[in-house]
mmCIF file of all heavy atoms in Angstrom:
data_model
loop_
_atom_site.group_PDB
_atom_site.id
_atom_site.type_symbol
_atom_site.label_atom_id
_atom_site.label_comp_id
_atom_site.label_asym_id
_atom_site.label_seq_id
_atom_site.Cartn_x
_atom_site.Cartn_y
_atom_site.Cartn_z
ATOM 1 N N PHE A 485 8.390 23.877 0.325
ATOM 2 C CA PHE A 485 8.097 25.288 0.122
ATOM 3 C C PHE A 485 9.286 26.022 -0.499
ATOM 4 O O PHE A 485 10.447 25.618 -0.357
ATOM 5 C CB PHE A 485 7.774 25.976 1.453
ATOM 6 C CG PHE A 485 6.371 25.787 1.942
ATOM 7 C CD1 PHE A 485 6.134 25.193 3.175
ATOM 8 C CD2 PHE A 485 5.285 26.201 1.184
ATOM 9 C CE1 PHE A 485 4.847 25.033 3.656
ATOM 10 C CE2 PHE A 485 3.992 26.043 1.648
ATOM 11 C CZ PHE A 485 3.770 25.456 2.887
ATOM 12 N N SER A 486 8.999 27.134 -1.138
ATOM 13 C CA SER A 486 10.019 28.066 -1.619
ATOM 14 C C SER A 486 10.070 29.270 -0.685
ATOM 15 O O SER A 486 9.084 29.595 -0.016
ATOM 16 C CB SER A 486 9.672 28.529 -3.039
ATOM 17 O OG SER A 486 10.516 29.596 -3.451
ATOM 18 N N LEU A 487 11.224 29.930 -0.634
ATOM 19 C CA LEU A 487 11.345 31.207 0.067
ATOM 20 C C LEU A 487 11.430 32.378 -0.904
ATOM 21 O O LEU A 487 11.646 33.518 -0.501
ATOM 22 C CB LEU A 487 12.572 31.192 0.996
ATOM 23 C CG LEU A 487 12.526 30.182 2.149
ATOM 24 C CD1 LEU A 487 13.766 30.325 3.025
ATOM 25 C CD2 LEU A 487 11.254 30.351 2.983
ATOM 26 N N ASP A 488 11.223 32.087 -2.194
ATOM 27 C CA ASP A 488 11.191 33.131 -3.217
ATOM 28 C C ASP A 488 9.828 33.817 -3.175
ATOM 29 O O ASP A 488 8.802 33.184 -3.454
ATOM 30 C CB ASP A 488 11.424 32.513 -4.594
ATOM 31 C CG ASP A 488 11.388 33.522 -5.727
ATOM 32 O OD1 ASP A 488 11.100 34.712 -5.473
ATOM 33 O OD2 ASP A 488 11.613 33.118 -6.888
ATOM 34 N N PRO A 489 9.758 35.093 -2.850
ATOM 35 C CA PRO A 489 8.448 35.753 -2.731
ATOM 36 C C PRO A 489 7.659 35.777 -4.030
ATOM 37 O O PRO A 489 6.434 35.951 -4.004
ATOM 38 C CB PRO A 489 8.811 37.173 -2.270
ATOM 39 C CG PRO A 489 10.248 37.345 -2.608
ATOM 40 C CD PRO A 489 10.867 35.990 -2.515
ATOM 41 N N ALA A 490 8.337 35.598 -5.177
ATOM 42 C CA ALA A 490 7.634 35.600 -6.460
ATOM 43 C C ALA A 490 7.035 34.246 -6.810
ATOM 44 O O ALA A 490 6.263 34.136 -7.772
ATOM 45 C CB ALA A 490 8.582 36.042 -7.576
ATOM 46 N N SER A 491 7.389 33.216 -6.057
ATOM 47 C CA SER A 491 6.921 31.867 -6.368
ATOM 48 C C SER A 491 5.521 31.634 -5.822
ATOM 49 O O SER A 491 5.211 32.043 -4.697
ATOM 50 C CB SER A 491 7.872 30.822 -5.757
ATOM 51 O OG SER A 491 7.323 29.515 -5.863
ATOM 52 N N PRO A 492 4.653 30.962 -6.591
ATOM 53 C CA PRO A 492 3.340 30.603 -6.030
ATOM 54 C C PRO A 492 3.453 29.613 -4.880
ATOM 55 O O PRO A 492 2.501 29.434 -4.122
ATOM 56 C CB PRO A 492 2.605 29.989 -7.226
ATOM 57 C CG PRO A 492 3.685 29.486 -8.124
ATOM 58 C CD PRO A 492 4.813 30.471 -7.970
ATOM 59 N N ASN A 493 4.629 29.009 -4.738
ATOM 60 C CA ASN A 493 4.870 28.021 -3.698
ATOM 61 C C ASN A 493 5.614 28.603 -2.497
ATOM 62 O O ASN A 493 6.149 27.877 -1.678
ATOM 63 C CB ASN A 493 5.669 26.842 -4.298
ATOM 64 C CG ASN A 493 5.732 25.646 -3.380
ATOM 65 O OD1 ASN A 493 4.752 25.264 -2.758
ATOM 66 N ND2 ASN A 493 6.915 25.061 -3.281
ATOM 67 N N VAL A 494 5.620 29.934 -2.367
ATOM 68 C CA VAL A 494 6.310 30.552 -1.238
ATOM 69 C C VAL A 494 5.601 30.184 0.062
ATOM 70 O O VAL A 494 4.375 30.064 0.118
ATOM 71 C CB VAL A 494 6.391 32.092 -1.410
ATOM 72 C CG1 VAL A 494 5.007 32.726 -1.371
ATOM 73 C CG2 VAL A 494 7.315 32.708 -0.359
ATOM 74 N N VAL A 495 6.381 29.997 1.112
ATOM 75 C CA VAL A 495 5.826 29.576 2.398
ATOM 76 C C VAL A 495 4.847 30.608 2.941
ATOM 77 O O VAL A 495 5.026 31.820 2.768
ATOM 78 C CB VAL A 495 6.963 29.305 3.409
ATOM 79 C CG1 VAL A 495 7.688 30.591 3.798
ATOM 80 C CG2 VAL A 495 6.453 28.565 4.638
ATOM 81 N N ALA A 496 3.782 30.131 3.596
ATOM 82 C CA ALA A 496 2.806 31.009 4.235
ATOM 83 C C ALA A 496 2.029 30.213 5.273
ATOM 84 O O ALA A 496 1.874 28.995 5.147
ATOM 85 C CB ALA A 496 1.848 31.607 3.202
ATOM 86 N N PRO A 497 1.515 30.864 6.305
ATOM 87 C CA PRO A 497 0.750 30.152 7.336
ATOM 88 C C PRO A 497 -0.462 29.429 6.749
ATOM 89 O O PRO A 497 -1.177 29.966 5.897
ATOM 90 C CB PRO A 497 0.292 31.283 8.275
ATOM 91 C CG PRO A 497 1.284 32.379 8.061
ATOM 92 C CD PRO A 497 1.657 32.298 6.612
ATOM 93 N N GLY A 498 -0.668 28.202 7.185
ATOM 94 C CA GLY A 498 -1.836 27.448 6.765
ATOM 95 C C GLY A 498 -1.826 26.989 5.331
ATOM 96 O O GLY A 498 -2.833 26.487 4.824
ATOM 97 N N LYS A 499 -0.701 27.111 4.656
ATOM 98 C CA LYS A 499 -0.591 26.764 3.235
ATOM 99 C C LYS A 499 0.011 25.375 3.087
ATOM 100 O O LYS A 499 0.836 24.946 3.893
ATOM 101 C CB LYS A 499 0.297 27.797 2.537
ATOM 102 C CG LYS A 499 0.417 27.652 1.032
ATOM 103 C CD LYS A 499 1.270 28.805 0.476
ATOM 104 C CE LYS A 499 1.436 28.718 -1.021
ATOM 105 N NZ LYS A 499 2.249 29.844 -1.544
ATOM 106 N N ARG A 500 -0.408 24.671 2.019
ATOM 107 C CA ARG A 500 0.166 23.367 1.718
ATOM 108 C C ARG A 500 1.366 23.539 0.796
ATOM 109 O O ARG A 500 1.307 24.292 -0.183
ATOM 110 C CB ARG A 500 -0.867 22.465 1.051
ATOM 111 C CG ARG A 500 -1.887 21.889 2.021
ATOM 112 C CD ARG A 500 -3.019 21.199 1.312
ATOM 113 N NE ARG A 500 -3.702 20.244 2.186
ATOM 114 C CZ ARG A 500 -4.977 19.921 2.083
ATOM 115 N NH1 ARG A 500 -5.738 20.491 1.146
ATOM 116 N NH2 ARG A 500 -5.517 19.043 2.909
ATOM 117 N N PRO A 501 2.479 22.823 1.054
ATOM 118 C CA PRO A 501 3.642 22.908 0.181
ATOM 119 C C PRO A 501 3.473 22.051 -1.062
ATOM 120 O O PRO A 501 2.580 21.191 -1.134
ATOM 121 C CB PRO A 501 4.778 22.352 1.048
ATOM 122 C CG PRO A 501 4.086 21.361 1.935
ATOM 123 C CD PRO A 501 2.720 21.939 2.215
ATOM 124 N N PHE A 502 4.312 22.288 -2.056
ATOM 125 C CA PHE A 502 4.393 21.408 -3.220
ATOM 126 C C PHE A 502 4.730 20.003 -2.749
ATOM 127 O O PHE A 502 5.587 19.806 -1.893
ATOM 128 C CB PHE A 502 5.475 21.893 -4.175
ATOM 129 C CG PHE A 502 5.734 20.953 -5.323
ATOM 130 C CD1 PHE A 502 4.871 20.892 -6.398
ATOM 131 C CD2 PHE A 502 6.845 20.110 -5.318
ATOM 132 C CE1 PHE A 502 5.102 20.022 -7.452
ATOM 133 C CE2 PHE A 502 7.090 19.240 -6.364
ATOM 134 C CZ PHE A 502 6.211 19.194 -7.432
ATOM 135 N N HIS A 503 4.032 19.021 -3.311
ATOM 136 C CA HIS A 503 4.182 17.632 -2.894
ATOM 137 C C HIS A 503 4.653 16.764 -4.045
ATOM 138 O O HIS A 503 4.210 16.935 -5.179
ATOM 139 C CB HIS A 503 2.846 17.081 -2.389
ATOM 140 C CG HIS A 503 2.789 16.896 -0.911
ATOM 141 N ND1 HIS A 503 3.173 15.734 -0.284
ATOM 142 C CD2 HIS A 503 2.405 17.727 0.080
ATOM 143 C CE1 HIS A 503 3.008 15.859 1.035
ATOM 144 N NE2 HIS A 503 2.537 17.064 1.272
ATOM 145 N N THR A 504 5.521 15.807 -3.738
ATOM 146 C CA THR A 504 5.946 14.836 -4.743
ATOM 147 C C THR A 504 5.057 13.607 -4.780
ATOM 148 O O THR A 504 4.980 12.921 -5.799
ATOM 149 C CB THR A 504 7.394 14.381 -4.477
ATOM 150 O OG1 THR A 504 7.493 13.852 -3.149
ATOM 151 C CG2 THR A 504 8.371 15.534 -4.643
ATOM 152 N N ILE A 505 4.360 13.268 -3.668
ATOM 153 C CA ILE A 505 3.652 11.982 -3.608
ATOM 154 C C ILE A 505 2.301 12.078 -4.306
ATOM 155 O O ILE A 505 1.524 13.000 -4.077
ATOM 156 C CB ILE A 505 3.521 11.457 -2.171
ATOM 157 C CG1 ILE A 505 2.714 12.383 -1.274
ATOM 158 C CG2 ILE A 505 4.895 11.229 -1.579
ATOM 159 C CD1 ILE A 505 2.394 11.781 0.090
ATOM 160 N N ILE A 506 2.025 11.086 -5.153
ATOM 161 C CA ILE A 506 0.820 11.118 -5.974
ATOM 162 C C ILE A 506 0.282 9.704 -6.197
ATOM 163 O O ILE A 506 1.000 8.836 -6.667
ATOM 164 C CB ILE A 506 1.086 11.789 -7.334
ATOM 165 C CG1 ILE A 506 2.340 11.195 -8.006
ATOM 166 C CG2 ILE A 506 1.232 13.298 -7.174
ATOM 167 C CD1 ILE A 506 2.576 11.676 -9.429
ATOM 168 N N PRO A 507 -0.983 9.436 -5.896
ATOM 169 C CA PRO A 507 -1.610 8.194 -6.334
ATOM 170 C C PRO A 507 -2.041 8.352 -7.785
ATOM 171 O O PRO A 507 -2.200 9.472 -8.276
ATOM 172 C CB PRO A 507 -2.815 8.064 -5.400
ATOM 173 C CG PRO A 507 -3.199 9.494 -5.110
ATOM 174 C CD PRO A 507 -1.901 10.284 -5.129
ATOM 175 N N GLY A 508 -2.239 7.234 -8.482
ATOM 176 C CA GLY A 508 -2.679 7.305 -9.873
ATOM 177 C C GLY A 508 -3.820 6.346 -10.149
ATOM 178 O O GLY A 508 -3.946 5.302 -9.487
ATOM 179 N N PHE A 509 -4.627 6.691 -11.149
ATOM 180 C CA PHE A 509 -5.756 5.845 -11.516
ATOM 181 C C PHE A 509 -6.044 6.016 -12.997
ATOM 182 O O PHE A 509 -5.915 7.122 -13.532
ATOM 183 C CB PHE A 509 -7.003 6.214 -10.706
ATOM 184 C CG PHE A 509 -7.981 5.091 -10.539
ATOM 185 C CD1 PHE A 509 -7.963 4.292 -9.409
ATOM 186 C CD2 PHE A 509 -8.925 4.810 -11.525
ATOM 187 C CE1 PHE A 509 -8.850 3.244 -9.253
ATOM 188 C CE2 PHE A 509 -9.826 3.775 -11.386
ATOM 189 C CZ PHE A 509 -9.799 2.981 -10.242
ATOM 190 N N VAL A 510 -6.424 4.911 -13.656
ATOM 191 C CA VAL A 510 -6.781 4.947 -15.072
ATOM 192 C C VAL A 510 -8.187 4.403 -15.247
ATOM 193 O O VAL A 510 -8.529 3.344 -14.702
ATOM 194 C CB VAL A 510 -5.789 4.127 -15.925
ATOM 195 C CG1 VAL A 510 -6.212 4.136 -17.393
ATOM 196 C CG2 VAL A 510 -4.367 4.680 -15.787
ATOM 197 N N THR A 511 -8.995 5.133 -15.970
ATOM 198 C CA THR A 511 -10.327 4.669 -16.324
ATOM 199 C C THR A 511 -10.401 4.483 -17.830
ATOM 200 O O THR A 511 -9.634 5.084 -18.593
ATOM 201 C CB THR A 511 -11.418 5.662 -15.875
ATOM 202 O OG1 THR A 511 -11.124 6.960 -16.416
ATOM 203 C CG2 THR A 511 -11.471 5.746 -14.361
ATOM 204 N N LYS A 512 -11.362 3.648 -18.268
ATOM 205 C CA LYS A 512 -11.596 3.441 -19.691
ATOM 206 C C LYS A 512 -13.091 3.473 -19.924
ATOM 207 O O LYS A 512 -13.832 2.661 -19.356
ATOM 208 C CB LYS A 512 -10.996 2.123 -20.160
ATOM 209 C CG LYS A 512 -11.084 1.932 -21.673
ATOM 210 C CD LYS A 512 -10.297 0.705 -22.124
ATOM 211 C CE LYS A 512 -10.321 0.606 -23.655
ATOM 212 N NZ LYS A 512 -9.528 -0.569 -24.120
ATOM 213 N N GLY A 513 -13.534 4.416 -20.731
ATOM 214 C CA GLY A 513 -14.959 4.626 -20.860
ATOM 215 C C GLY A 513 -15.535 5.063 -19.531
ATOM 216 O O GLY A 513 -15.020 5.974 -18.884
ATOM 217 N N ALA A 514 -16.580 4.384 -19.097
ATOM 218 C CA ALA A 514 -17.202 4.752 -17.829
ATOM 219 C C ALA A 514 -16.748 3.890 -16.666
ATOM 220 O O ALA A 514 -17.283 4.007 -15.563
ATOM 221 C CB ALA A 514 -18.725 4.655 -17.966
ATOM 222 N N GLY A 515 -15.749 3.023 -16.898
ATOM 223 C CA GLY A 515 -15.362 2.092 -15.852
ATOM 224 C C GLY A 515 -13.904 2.182 -15.454
ATOM 225 O O GLY A 515 -13.092 2.838 -16.114
ATOM 226 N N PRO A 516 -13.534 1.494 -14.371
ATOM 227 C CA PRO A 516 -12.152 1.515 -13.883
ATOM 228 C C PRO A 516 -11.270 0.571 -14.684
ATOM 229 O O PRO A 516 -11.724 -0.475 -15.145
ATOM 230 C CB PRO A 516 -12.277 1.025 -12.444
ATOM 231 C CG PRO A 516 -13.431 0.057 -12.498
ATOM 232 C CD PRO A 516 -14.394 0.637 -13.513
ATOM 233 N N LEU A 517 -10.027 0.930 -14.870
ATOM 234 C CA LEU A 517 -9.054 0.051 -15.506
ATOM 235 C C LEU A 517 -7.920 -0.300 -14.556
ATOM 236 O O LEU A 517 -7.565 -1.464 -14.402
ATOM 237 C CB LEU A 517 -8.477 0.691 -16.770
ATOM 238 C CG LEU A 517 -7.443 -0.154 -17.534
ATOM 239 C CD1 LEU A 517 -8.076 -1.450 -18.040
ATOM 240 C CD2 LEU A 517 -6.839 0.637 -18.696
ATOM 241 N N MET A 518 -7.333 0.691 -13.869
ATOM 242 C CA MET A 518 -6.129 0.405 -13.083
ATOM 243 C C MET A 518 -5.955 1.397 -11.950
ATOM 244 O O MET A 518 -6.077 2.608 -12.134
ATOM 245 C CB MET A 518 -4.894 0.448 -13.997
ATOM 246 C CG MET A 518 -3.565 0.218 -13.271
ATOM 247 S SD MET A 518 -2.167 0.005 -14.408
ATOM 248 C CE MET A 518 -2.075 1.634 -15.175
ATOM 249 N N ALA A 519 -5.650 0.874 -10.761
ATOM 250 C CA ALA A 519 -5.137 1.667 -9.645
ATOM 251 C C ALA A 519 -3.640 1.424 -9.590
ATOM 252 O O ALA A 519 -3.193 0.282 -9.574
ATOM 253 C CB ALA A 519 -5.798 1.250 -8.330
ATOM 254 N N PHE A 520 -2.860 2.482 -9.570
ATOM 255 C CA PHE A 520 -1.410 2.312 -9.662
ATOM 256 C C PHE A 520 -0.703 3.480 -8.995
ATOM 257 O O PHE A 520 -1.317 4.466 -8.579
ATOM 258 C CB PHE A 520 -0.986 2.210 -11.138
ATOM 259 C CG PHE A 520 -0.954 3.538 -11.864
ATOM 260 C CD1 PHE A 520 0.248 4.168 -12.144
ATOM 261 C CD2 PHE A 520 -2.135 4.168 -12.261
ATOM 262 C CE1 PHE A 520 0.279 5.384 -12.807
ATOM 263 C CE2 PHE A 520 -2.116 5.373 -12.926
ATOM 264 C CZ PHE A 520 -0.899 5.993 -13.193
ATOM 265 N N GLY A 521 0.601 3.371 -8.941
ATOM 266 C CA GLY A 521 1.410 4.469 -8.438
ATOM 267 C C GLY A 521 2.845 4.044 -8.250
ATOM 268 O O GLY A 521 3.222 2.903 -8.523
ATOM 269 N N MET A 522 3.636 4.994 -7.791
ATOM 270 C CA MET A 522 5.069 4.755 -7.618
ATOM 271 C C MET A 522 5.587 5.620 -6.489
ATOM 272 O O MET A 522 5.280 6.805 -6.414
ATOM 273 C CB MET A 522 5.820 5.080 -8.915
ATOM 274 C CG MET A 522 7.304 4.761 -8.869
ATOM 275 S SD MET A 522 8.129 5.150 -10.447
ATOM 276 C CE MET A 522 7.316 3.985 -11.551
ATOM 277 N N MET A 523 6.368 5.039 -5.598
ATOM 278 C CA MET A 523 7.063 5.804 -4.572
ATOM 279 C C MET A 523 8.419 6.248 -5.115
ATOM 280 O O MET A 523 8.930 5.688 -6.084
ATOM 281 C CB MET A 523 7.255 4.947 -3.332
ATOM 282 C CG MET A 523 8.111 3.716 -3.556
ATOM 283 S SD MET A 523 7.938 2.472 -2.267
ATOM 284 C CE MET A 523 6.375 1.744 -2.728
ATOM 285 N N GLY A 524 8.997 7.285 -4.527
ATOM 286 C CA GLY A 524 10.342 7.649 -4.945
ATOM 287 C C GLY A 524 10.569 9.109 -5.266
ATOM 288 O O GLY A 524 11.366 9.439 -6.144
ATOM 289 N N GLY A 525 9.890 10.040 -4.599
ATOM 290 C CA GLY A 525 10.171 11.460 -4.769
ATOM 291 C C GLY A 525 9.998 11.925 -6.200
ATOM 292 O O GLY A 525 8.961 11.713 -6.828
ATOM 293 N N PRO A 526 11.037 12.567 -6.789
ATOM 294 C CA PRO A 526 10.891 13.173 -8.109
ATOM 295 C C PRO A 526 10.565 12.189 -9.227
ATOM 296 O O PRO A 526 10.050 12.594 -10.269
ATOM 297 C CB PRO A 526 12.263 13.817 -8.353
ATOM 298 C CG PRO A 526 12.844 14.020 -7.005
ATOM 299 C CD PRO A 526 12.340 12.877 -6.175
ATOM 300 N N ILE A 527 10.858 10.895 -9.036
ATOM 301 C CA ILE A 527 10.593 9.921 -10.091
ATOM 302 C C ILE A 527 9.106 9.660 -10.265
ATOM 303 O O ILE A 527 8.670 9.140 -11.298
ATOM 304 C CB ILE A 527 11.326 8.585 -9.790
ATOM 305 C CG1 ILE A 527 11.219 7.580 -10.964
ATOM 306 C CG2 ILE A 527 10.759 7.940 -8.535
ATOM 307 C CD1 ILE A 527 11.884 7.993 -12.219
ATOM 308 N N GLN A 528 8.274 10.043 -9.299
ATOM 309 C CA GLN A 528 6.896 9.558 -9.286
ATOM 310 C C GLN A 528 6.090 9.963 -10.513
ATOM 311 O O GLN A 528 5.492 9.123 -11.189
ATOM 312 C CB GLN A 528 6.192 10.007 -8.013
ATOM 313 C CG GLN A 528 6.733 9.301 -6.780
ATOM 314 C CD GLN A 528 6.061 9.743 -5.510
ATOM 315 O OE1 GLN A 528 4.842 9.808 -5.411
ATOM 316 N NE2 GLN A 528 6.857 10.061 -4.503
ATOM 317 N N ALA A 529 6.032 11.222 -10.826
ATOM 318 C CA ALA A 529 5.268 11.652 -12.003
ATOM 319 C C ALA A 529 5.905 11.108 -13.277
ATOM 320 O O ALA A 529 5.204 10.699 -14.213
ATOM 321 C CB ALA A 529 5.182 13.172 -12.047
ATOM 322 N N GLN A 530 7.249 11.132 -13.325
ATOM 323 C CA GLN A 530 7.945 10.557 -14.480
ATOM 324 C C GLN A 530 7.579 9.086 -14.633
ATOM 325 O O GLN A 530 7.340 8.599 -15.745
ATOM 326 C CB GLN A 530 9.451 10.692 -14.303
ATOM 327 C CG GLN A 530 9.941 12.121 -14.080
ATOM 328 C CD GLN A 530 11.442 12.181 -13.886
ATOM 329 O OE1 GLN A 530 12.203 11.542 -14.619
ATOM 330 N NE2 GLN A 530 11.898 12.942 -12.897
#
């Protein structure tokens, strides 16, 4: 969370914080190609 009141990520009751963890999936046409992902905080999306 942020404590900056101007940030959309400012802390609030019942709110979800910004998250680094993300699963990934690739499809091709109408079918599946790959389930993948990476652990490691900020490196994940990169």
Side-chain angles (χ1 to χ4, degrees):
F485 279 121
S486 170
L487 296 183
D488 179 356
S491 171
N493 191 43
V494 65
V495 68
K499 185 177 180 179
R500 283 170 159 151
F502 173 77
H503 253 271
T504 56
I505 62 171
I506 49 173
F509 206 95
V510 178
T511 55
K512 186 172 184 179
L517 180 62
M518 178 171 66
F520 77 104
M522 184 179 296
M523 62 197 77
I527 187 65
Q528 291 179 48
Q530 304 179 45

